[in-house]
Amino acid sequence: MVSVKVSAAKSTSLARDLPTFITFDKSAEEHTVRDLKKAITAKNPKASCFTFSIAPKSLTIYLQFHPSRQKLTLKGEKKALADNVTLKDAGVVDGSEVTVKDLGPQIGWRTTYLIEYAGPLVIHPLIYHFPKVFFGGAVQHSVLQKYVYGAVMLHFLKRELETLFVHRFSHGTMPFRNIFKNSAHYHILSGLFLAYSVYSPTFAANSPYIRGTIRENPNFLWACLGLFLFAELSNLKTHLTLSNLRSADSTKRAIPQGYGFSLVSYPNYFFETLAWTAIAVMTGSYAAWLFLVVGTFQMVVWALKKHKNYKKEFGKDYPANRKAMFPFIL
């Protein structure tokens, strides 16, 4: 048996009965930090979430004192206790005191991604099919515009399907307020800006920017589209590799191997950058280049941080010659 005192880091309306005691019948070796969080939720039994079912997945937005809202620390310490470790390994024994902090409303990562990628899937068809509304007149779409429209729709449809059927998430949720910041990147940059730029009369079939230029050349357009499709398929391949590293109910990490991973830790980011480079080169659009630069910068930041974590976690077992994102460079 183990009894743990739980106090609030600061008062929260969702857990008015703190401090309180949580008692388990089994030892600290047989219960995890996640079990303790669930017990705290049970002590505060308000409705904990809204769940929306989209077969075969359920999408959940947590609005009450769900375990995902809780940050547990040992009394007097700042380091958060990881969910999957046992109470004993976390330093929680009989008579210990932990503090719980309310992290605020949470939203599932799967839900977040679906919302982010849905933006361009709505914005691009609206601007492409209703030019009179946005440009004041009809637009005779060029081959370039048709290719870009198909490529963008394919890309974000792929991302939605990967979110539903491929991706596994180490962290179940994030703060709800972040959904607006995350969505802005896709809804504004690759949605509104890119669509308004590329489907405008500037890129139309009768535009001097297109007629008689390389952007009307079938070989150039097919080369760019071919590079885009190669990058998309390669990105999918790396996502499947990452997904197969662990089971759906596991957070255990392993060293990825196979296509792309022999050169870099995050070939999925590299191929993502390659795909959008193809769109930027094909169009020459300021919006395409802006989205490419912003997105690449963010992926480089993520790749360097995660690459460092890989090397720290696996030590000498991690391939020393791997770069973070760009083969032989970075």
Side-chain angles (χ1 to χ4, degrees), residues 86 139 166 190 203:
T86 66
V139 172
V166 177
S190 64
F203 291 86

Side-chain angles (χ1 to χ4, degrees), residues 24 27-39 72 81-90 92:
F24 296 108
S27 69
E29 295 178 340
E30 299 175 88
H31 287 284
T32 65
V33 172
R34 178 73 176 180
D35 294 332
L36 180 56
K37 288 184 175 182
K38 289 180 179 179
L72 295 185
L81 304 181
D83 283 6
N84 59 340
V85 302
T86 66
L87 294 179
K88 180 180 179 181
D89 289 341
V92 180

Side-chain angles (χ1 to χ4, degrees), residues 13 54 164 188 196 228 237 267 283 314:
S13 60
I54 299 179
L164 287 172
I188 296 175
Y196 192 82
F228 172 84
K237 173 64 176 175
T283 63
F314 295 106

Side-chain angles (χ1 to χ4, degrees), residues 110-166:
R110 195 181 306 278
T111 310
T112 299
Y113 284 157
L114 290 174
I115 293 172
E116 290 175 359
Y117 304 146
L121 288 174
V122 173
I123 294 169
H124 278 259
L126 287 176
I127 297 179
Y128 183 88
H129 291 291
F130 300 99
K132 290 183 179 180
V133 175
F134 296 95
F135 306 114
V139 172
Q140 183 183 352
H141 290 128
S142 63
V143 174
L144 181 147
Q145 288 176 316
K146 294 174 182 178
Y147 282 3
V148 172
Y149 179 60
V152 170
M153 296 299 288
L154 176 66
H155 173 82
F156 286 105
L157 180 60
K158 165 183 167 290
R159 296 296 288 267
E160 293 279 32
L161 293 174
E162 286 176 333
T163 299
L164 287 172
F165 302 108
V166 177

Side-chain angles (χ1 to χ4, degrees), residues 4-316:
V4 180
K5 182 179 180 181
V6 180
S7 57
K10 61 180 180 179
S11 61
T12 171
S13 60
L14 303 180
R16 299 180 183 277
D17 296 333
L18 298 180
T20 189
F21 286 88
I22 303 293
T23 301
F24 296 108
D25 292 335
K26 297 180 181 180
S27 69
E29 295 178 340
E30 299 175 88
H31 287 284
T32 65
V33 172
R34 178 73 176 180
D35 294 332
L36 180 56
K37 288 184 175 182
K38 289 180 179 179
I40 295 171
T41 299
K43 285 268 189 176
N44 302 272
K46 293 183 178 181
S48 59
C49 62
F50 293 117
T51 300
F52 306 89
S53 295
I54 299 179
K57 304 291 185 179
S58 60
L59 311 177
T60 305
I61 298 177
Y62 301 104
L63 298 178
Q64 299 294 323
F65 211 41
H66 187 271
S68 63
R69 291 187 65 142
Q70 303 171 28
K71 175 185 176 182
L72 295 185
T73 59
L74 292 172
K75 181 69 174 181
E77 297 188 9
K78 295 182 178 180
K79 184 179 179 180
L81 304 181
D83 283 6
N84 59 340
V85 302
T86 66
L87 294 179
K88 180 180 179 181
D89 289 341
V92 180
V93 296
D94 187 43
S96 293
E97 181 175 356
V98 299
T99 58
V100 57
K101 179 181 179 181
D102 183 7
L103 298 175
Q106 302 288 298
I107 183 171
W109 274 104
R110 195 181 306 278
T111 310
T112 299
Y113 284 157
L114 290 174
I115 293 172
E116 290 175 359
Y117 304 146
L121 288 174
V122 173
I123 294 169
H124 278 259
L126 287 176
I127 297 179
Y128 183 88
H129 291 291
F130 300 99
K132 290 183 179 180
V133 175
F134 296 95
F135 306 114
V139 172
Q140 183 183 352
H141 290 128
S142 63
V143 174
L144 181 147
Q145 288 176 316
K146 294 174 182 178
Y147 282 3
V148 172
Y149 179 60
V152 170
M153 296 299 288
L154 176 66
H155 173 82
F156 286 105
L157 180 60
K158 165 183 167 290
R159 296 296 288 267
E160 293 279 32
L161 293 174
E162 286 176 333
T163 299
L164 287 172
F165 302 108
V166 177
H167 292 324
R168 304 195 190 282
F169 300 95
S170 299
H171 302 287
T173 65
M174 73 169 190
F176 181 77
R177 64 182 180 274
N178 287 0
I179 187 65
F180 304 102
K181 177 186 69 176
N182 288 25
S183 295
H185 174 70
Y186 292 100
H187 293 192
I188 296 175
L189 293 185
S190 64
L192 185 61
F193 283 6
L194 181 61
Y196 192 82
S197 169
V198 175
Y199 308 141
S200 71
T202 301
F203 291 86
N206 56 356
S207 168
Y209 183 76
I210 298 296
R211 292 186 64 182
T213 72
I214 194 172
R215 290 183 171 82
E216 197 178 40
N217 185 308
N219 293 331
F220 171 74
L221 295 178
W222 272 110
C224 292
L225 188 62
L227 178 61
F228 172 84
L229 292 174
F230 164 76
E232 288 290 298
L233 290 172
S234 297
N235 178 264
L236 172 60
K237 173 64 176 175
T238 59
H239 282 164
L240 290 170
T241 299
L242 291 171
S243 179
N244 292 330
L245 281 179
R246 61 174 187 244
S247 61
D249 57 350
S250 173
T251 58
K252 184 178 180 181
R253 284 156 56 88
I255 299 175
Q257 305 287 347
Y259 182 74
F261 291 97
S262 60
L263 296 176
V264 295
S265 295
Y266 290 91
N268 51 323
Y269 292 163
F270 170 72
F271 290 123
E272 178 87 1
T273 297
L274 195 61
W276 286 107
T277 298
I279 298 297
V281 171
M282 183 194 298
T283 63
S285 164
Y286 71 89
W289 284 107
L290 177 62
F291 180 66
L292 172 64
V293 169
V294 173
T296 301
F297 174 79
Q298 181 61 76
M299 286 186 284
V300 166
V301 172
W302 288 337
L304 290 174
K305 180 179 179 180
K306 294 177 181 180
H307 180 68
K308 182 179 179 180
N309 290 340
Y310 264 144
K311 295 201 296 186
K312 180 179 179 181
E313 180 177 356
F314 295 106
K316 294 181 179 179

